[in-house]
Each structure stands twice: as C-alpha cells, then as structure tokens.
Amino acid sequence: MVIDVSVDIAPAPLTLGKEREQWLKRAWDAIDESKLAELNRMMASIPSPTGEERQLAQTIVGIMNASGIDGFYQPMDDDQGNAVGRLPGVGAGADLLLYAPLDTAFSSNEEEECPWIGDRLPGEMTTNAYIRDG
C-alpha cells in the first residue's frame, strides 16, 4: 500500500503594506554596497578562531563608534569577547538583539592547521580576503 503524503504548500505571497514597503525601500537605499563589501572584506581578513575573537571584536567596536553607534568591547577572557553596539530609541518599543558569532572554524595558521588539513592551507582557509566582481 502506498500513501501519498505530498501536499502543495506554496507560501502565500508576503504583503507588507504601503508604509512598510516604504520602510524597506528606505533601508535598502541606505546601504552603500561598496562600503558593505569593503567592511566584509576587512572583517574576513582578521583571523578569529574560536576563543580568539578579541581582535575582530575590538575592530568592530571601532567601526561602530566611528559610525555613530555607541559601541564597546565586553571581554570574556584575555583572548575573546563581544562587540556590543547600542542604538538608542525613544523607549516606546521592544529591544532587539542581533547576534552573530565572530569565530571561524580555523585559525589560518598553517603551522597549527597542517598537516591534518593537508600539506598547505587551501585559499578558502586563509584570511587574505578580496573582492571579486563587486
């Protein structure tokens, strides 16, 4: 006996309403793609293996402060900590926490990663980030 349990579950189209569509458009218009790409390249060029995220976190704090966001470094120990930024509101709404881990799965240190990863580190395991085709 075969039972067909397939169901067509196409999602309903998302409708935001006029006001929310305008919010979304303003948010997208505020993004400078080249600055965002450079920020991503810079962050990917800083090694941050698990437990050693301090340098990247402190760099992010500096970027937040330079951008007008109240940023501070929250140490956990000598080598790791959090980059915390706060945008003040008017106090009428809920707080929102955005969480994004800063650690990577590798150190980008060939002496530490080889020979178990291979004779040498592949390009994607280094911190020589670059921007290609925008």
Side-chain angles (χ1 to χ4, degrees), residues 106-122 125-126:
F106 54 88
S107 70
S108 75
N109 179 340
E110 202 160 270
E111 291 177 9
E112 198 173 306
E113 304 293 347
C114 297
W116 69 270
I117 197 70
D119 293 336
R120 44 186 317 202
L121 285 177
M125 290 185 72
T126 67

Side-chain angles (χ1 to χ4, degrees), residues 9-110:
I9 55 170
L14 178 64
T15 56
L16 297 175
K18 284 265 188 219
E19 184 180 29
R20 289 183 176 170
E21 283 180 9
Q22 290 172 349
W23 295 345
L24 184 59
K25 182 180 180 339
R26 284 198 331 252
W28 278 113
D29 289 345
I31 295 172
D32 182 323
E33 288 184 33
S34 63
K35 284 184 181 179
L36 186 59
E38 177 54 27
L39 176 63
N40 189 42
R41 186 211 58 76
M42 181 275 307
M43 290 173 59
S45 294
I46 299 173
S48 59
T50 303
E52 299 176 26
E53 303 93 346
R54 181 181 187 137
Q55 181 185 1
L56 179 55
Q58 289 179 323
T59 299
I60 292 170
V61 166
I63 292 166
M64 285 191 287
N65 285 322
S67 300
I69 297 171
D70 181 22
F72 65 93
Y73 179 71
Q74 180 185 56
M76 295 168 62
D77 62 28
D78 289 343
D79 297 319
Q80 64 181 334
N82 298 310
V84 179
R86 186 165 185 84
L87 288 172
V90 295
D95 287 342
L96 172 65
L97 171 66
L98 299 178
Y99 169 78
L102 298 177
D103 64 332
T104 58
F106 54 88
S107 70
S108 75
N109 179 340
E110 202 160 270

